[in-house]
Amino acid sequence: MKLRSFFSLLFFACVSVVDAQTLNAIDFGLVPNNQLQDASPILRQMCDSARVLSQKGKKVKIQLEKGKYYFHPDKASERVYYVSNHDQPNPKKVGIALENLKNVTFEGNGADLLFYGQMMPMSLVGSTDCTLRNFSIDFVTPHLAQAEIVANDGQSISYKMASWDKWEIKDSVLYYNGDGWRYHADWAIAFDGETRHLIPETSDLYVVTKHLTEKDGILTAKGWKDNRLTVGTRLAMRTWNRPAPGLFMADDIRTKIKNVKMHYAEGMGLLAQMCEDIDIDGFSVCLRGDDDPRYFTTQADATHFSGCKGLIRERNGLYEGMMDDAINVHGTYLKVVERVDDHTLIGQYMHEQSYGFRWGEVGDTVQFIQSNTMELTGGKCHISKISPIDKQINQGVTQFCITFTETIPYDVNPDCGVYGIENLTWTPRVIFENNIIRNNRARGSLFSTPRKVIVRNNLYDHTSGCAILLCGDCNGWFETGACRDVLIEKNRFINALTMQFQFTNAVISIYPEIPDLKHQQKYFHSGIVIRNNLFETFDRPLLYAKSVDGLKFVDNKVVFNHDFEPIHWNNHCFWLQRVNNFDLKGTKVVGSDEDIEKDVVTYIELPQ
């Protein structure tokens, strides 16, 4: 019996060896630290080989040696991808296109992947049980320029460009450029040169880049007055372009991402749409250490999940210096533009940066919402047929004809008002824990999903806007939807709200976009627990909530400091608008007898 067991184990060990295959980059002629070698065509060959092997049932590892690899757009793969919450230039140049794979691991072994021009560095599309690990992504010349203030006399401001920026003054206007692109930017984010915190109250800062004089590399803007911009301040000069994320994921199942660093991308760091089960451990959108001369990372969110399902688990990450949020989880409302009959509607993507991608499939459960009051109407329906309405080639679908098994609620009709369709099947559970979010523009983390959300043991350090936002919007971005089960615990919040970005009414802001709150009868969010957190803040607003049934704020600690002057229009710790079943207890101010639990206002109207 023991002998039989031994041979059985030997057999399965042999099978596992046969079924696993490693593709070494060196065997394909790709060597590290060769700046003259374009890695794009070689990685394409390796990806093609991995696809063939994986389709034969083999487990495959694409393996690089540690070192630097360089990618150019002229020989990169071309793909037509429609990416949620991004601009939609197509076709896109893709450095590493991982597509239609199964049981494939991309092993970087600490490789540093460096990209030129305008590219999507990496995609993972239509793949199952794949792993990405141990590498970093960066651009040789980022599309944000950086300047340092060298003089400010109250009548003019002088600055010098960073050493890596390629810039020129033409007709007294500043331009900066890279391979195949050239920008002029009038907007910037201002960072403190010492602390790397964003300069309070600067927000999206208008910078003077016209009518400049130049001497010995120093640019002077006469008449530019701004006493907040002291000598040593760094300016991240930016456009509003976001053509592609650093890592694009679509239609994937059971993806693992381990120890991947995104140092720069012209869009978001990671964008995943219509994916199921994503396990992220040690993914970071970060600088190259404390001595990195750069102050910025990505042009938009660090991580973003649109229309996903299953479990999104994101932990042990560092998110800093990005131009938007650390994480945003949501679906997309389609606007009802035509009621064809009692079982069929035409729904349309509404935001200019969100269209063209798959929205749902047969069997999915949906519900309908009235956009003016953000109230659900009727019961749930199930898709029996869905088909895109054809558009011109390379413009992307914006409308779907959707037929439901059940009768559509009678009032879901454009003649009766504006209605949105929410796909409930493609909504994820989320665990966001043990992450550091610091020195970024806008907000810390956004969640809009009805399934369980846990936000635990995170450090929110100078997020500039609110630290956590629970949102929902069927009027602008058309991002779903209502939160029903949220636990926010054991987090530390340090000096949020140094700026007043959209929806940032308190450190934790529960802020669905509801145009007609006065006539709302139901509640949007529910089941929210905020407990055992530490708030360290220079200002008053801790919690703002709108349209919530069931909200607990218990056993939290607050430390008021004097790091900055209070700036927020909201000078109350708790501001509630249409909140039912609110439980506030056990929250104490450290080192003070102040009873902040009395500082609650319930005005339905906010100041103009």
Side-chain angles (χ1 to χ4, degrees), residues 265-298:
E266 196 175 3
M268 298 181 184
L270 180 156
L271 187 288
Q273 65 192 34
M274 302 301 286
C275 293
E276 181 176 356
D277 292 324
I278 306 173
D279 187 352
I280 301 173
D281 186 1
F283 178 85
S284 294
V285 171
C286 62
L287 304 170
R288 291 180 177 271
D290 293 338
D291 58 349
D292 190 338
R294 281 193 210 165
Y295 281 63
F296 60 85
T297 53
T298 56

Side-chain angles (χ1 to χ4, degrees), residues 75-277:
K75 294 183 180 179
S77 301
E78 285 195 355
R79 294 291 187 271
V80 175
Y81 291 146
Y82 287 92
V83 183
S84 182
N85 294 76
H86 279 74
D87 304 329
Q88 306 292 7
N90 274 309
K92 295 175 172 64
K93 296 286 189 176
V94 184
I96 306 171
L98 301 164
E99 298 174 323
N100 303 315
L101 304 175
K102 187 174 183 179
N103 289 317
V104 172
T105 296
F106 186 93
E107 173 60 71
N109 288 311
D112 198 359
L113 312 181
L114 300 168
F115 295 82
Y116 288 89
Q118 289 185 296
M119 302 177 67
M120 175 183 287
M122 177 179 282
S123 66
L124 180 68
V125 174
S127 298
T128 301
D129 294 318
C130 290
T131 300
L132 310 176
R133 66 189 187 200
N134 299 324
F135 60 91
S136 66
I137 287 175
D138 201 355
F139 276 73
V140 175
T141 304
H143 310 88
L144 278 73
Q146 183 172 297
E148 179 181 353
I149 304 295
V150 297
N152 185 347
D153 62 8
Q155 301 300 317
S156 63
I157 296 177
S158 298
Y159 55 89
K160 65 179 180 180
M161 304 303 293
S163 60
W164 61 83
D165 282 322
K166 302 174 184 178
W167 59 273
E168 62 177 335
I169 300 292
K170 186 174 182 180
D171 299 327
S172 77
V173 177
L174 172 66
Y175 295 91
Y176 58 98
N177 58 77
D179 298 289
W181 59 268
R182 184 172 187 253
Y183 285 146
H184 165 254
D186 288 328
W187 298 95
I189 297 296
F191 294 89
D192 185 289
E194 296 295 327
T195 65
R196 296 184 183 259
H197 303 329
L198 275 66
I199 304 294
E201 296 188 87
T202 53
S203 189
D204 293 314
L205 179 73
Y206 180 76
V207 296
V208 179
T209 55
K210 300 176 182 177
H211 309 297
L212 300 174
T213 59
E214 185 266 334
K215 181 179 181 181
D216 298 329
I218 303 299
L219 311 180
T220 298
K222 294 183 178 180
W224 186 13
K225 302 177 182 180
D226 193 330
N227 58 16
R228 300 168 300 181
L229 305 181
T230 58
V231 172
T233 297
R234 303 312 200 275
L235 303 175
M237 296 181 177
R238 64 188 298 242
T239 67
W240 301 101
N241 300 339
R242 49 169 80 174
L247 171 59
F248 172 56
M249 296 172 55
D251 302 299
D252 300 316
I253 300 173
R254 292 187 299 276
T255 303
K256 293 184 179 180
I257 300 173
K258 173 73 173 179
N259 191 29
V260 173
K261 292 181 173 60
M262 191 74 60
H263 297 304
Y264 173 78
E266 196 175 3
M268 298 181 184
L270 180 156
L271 187 288
Q273 65 192 34
M274 302 301 286
C275 293
E276 181 176 356
D277 292 324

Side-chain angles (χ1 to χ4, degrees), residues 252-418:
D252 300 316
I253 300 173
R254 292 187 299 276
T255 303
K256 293 184 179 180
I257 300 173
K258 173 73 173 179
N259 191 29
V260 173
K261 292 181 173 60
M262 191 74 60
H263 297 304
Y264 173 78
E266 196 175 3
M268 298 181 184
L270 180 156
L271 187 288
Q273 65 192 34
M274 302 301 286
C275 293
E276 181 176 356
D277 292 324
I278 306 173
D279 187 352
I280 301 173
D281 186 1
F283 178 85
S284 294
V285 171
C286 62
L287 304 170
R288 291 180 177 271
D290 293 338
D291 58 349
D292 190 338
R294 281 193 210 165
Y295 281 63
F296 60 85
T297 53
T298 56
Q299 176 73 306
D301 298 353
T303 65
H304 196 110
F305 304 89
S306 174
C308 295
K309 68 178 180 180
L311 174 63
I312 297 171
R313 188 180 183 194
E314 187 168 343
R315 60 201 188 278
N316 304 321
L318 169 61
Y319 305 107
E320 61 181 346
M322 58 276 182
M323 299 295 107
D324 261 309
D325 322 310
I327 180 175
N328 188 347
V329 182
H330 65 88
T332 302
Y333 289 114
L334 295 181
K335 180 182 177 180
V336 177
V337 294
E338 183 180 345
R339 183 182 179 116
V340 178
D341 56 43
D342 287 346
H343 289 268
T344 304
L345 295 173
I346 294 178
Q348 179 173 313
Y349 283 121
M350 293 305 297
H351 196 275
E352 62 184 7
Q353 289 182 322
S354 291
Y355 66 91
F357 48 90
R358 186 166 63 95
W359 182 83
E361 54 195 18
V362 172
D364 286 354
T365 303
V366 309
Q367 62 186 7
F368 303 95
I369 192 166
Q370 206 281 334
S371 67
N372 206 35
T373 60
M374 295 296 283
E375 292 177 294
L376 297 177
T377 183
K380 297 178 176 62
C381 290
H382 299 84
I383 298 175
S384 62
K385 183 179 179 181
I386 179 169
S387 56
I389 297 177
D390 291 337
K391 294 292 180 181
Q392 296 180 19
I393 296 175
N394 286 343
Q395 288 193 356
V397 63
T398 60
Q399 292 184 342
F400 297 89
C401 183
I402 310 174
T403 301
F404 301 97
T405 304
E406 299 83 359
T407 300
I408 300 164
Y410 74 94
D411 56 340
V412 178
N413 189 322
D415 295 336
C416 300
V418 178

Side-chain angles (χ1 to χ4, degrees), residues 369-564:
I369 192 166
Q370 206 281 334
S371 67
N372 206 35
T373 60
M374 295 296 283
E375 292 177 294
L376 297 177
T377 183
K380 297 178 176 62
C381 290
H382 299 84
I383 298 175
S384 62
K385 183 179 179 181
I386 179 169
S387 56
I389 297 177
D390 291 337
K391 294 292 180 181
Q392 296 180 19
I393 296 175
N394 286 343
Q395 288 193 356
V397 63
T398 60
Q399 292 184 342
F400 297 89
C401 183
I402 310 174
T403 301
F404 301 97
T405 304
E406 299 83 359
T407 300
I408 300 164
Y410 74 94
D411 56 340
V412 178
N413 189 322
D415 295 336
C416 300
V418 178
Y419 288 86
I421 317 171
E422 178 181 6
N423 191 327
L424 289 173
T425 298
W426 290 89
T427 54
R429 293 170 289 130
V430 182
I431 300 175
F432 186 72
E433 61 184 353
N434 300 323
N435 301 289
I436 298 173
I437 305 97
R438 66 188 184 193
N439 303 335
N440 66 294
R441 173 189 176 277
R443 296 154 294 264
S445 52
L446 285 64
F447 303 97
S448 298
T449 175
R451 303 186 192 273
K452 182 70 175 181
V453 174
I454 298 175
V455 186
R456 176 190 292 143
N457 289 329
N458 301 290
L459 171 62
Y460 293 87
D461 184 2
H462 292 79
T463 54
S464 76
C466 66
I468 297 175
L469 171 62
L470 306 183
C471 35
D473 173 19
C474 194
N475 296 278
W477 278 97
F478 281 78
E479 293 182 356
T480 64
C483 294
R484 303 296 187 201
D485 186 358
V486 179
L487 174 61
I488 300 171
E489 68 172 0
K490 300 179 181 179
N491 302 283
R492 182 183 179 192
F493 305 101
I494 303 176
N495 288 342
L497 302 177
T498 56
M499 302 185 202
Q500 297 182 47
F501 286 100
Q502 188 180 28
F503 309 126
T504 58
N505 285 2
V507 176
I508 297 177
S509 188
I510 304 171
Y511 196 146
E513 187 67 38
I514 306 172
D516 188 7
L517 186 63
K518 284 185 177 180
H519 292 96
Q520 187 191 61
Q521 299 298 312
K522 305 173 187 176
Y523 294 91
F524 189 72
H525 292 299
S526 61
I528 301 167
V529 177
I530 304 166
R531 69 187 185 198
N532 297 318
N533 301 281
L534 174 61
F535 295 80
E536 301 175 41
T537 178
F538 63 95
D539 217 330
R540 294 289 292 181
L542 303 176
L543 173 66
Y544 166 81
K546 178 196 292 186
S547 187
V548 184
D549 186 6
L551 173 59
K552 294 184 178 182
F553 192 95
V554 298
D555 298 330
N556 298 287
K557 292 183 179 180
V558 181
V559 176
F560 289 114
N561 61 50
H562 302 283
D563 293 350
F564 305 102

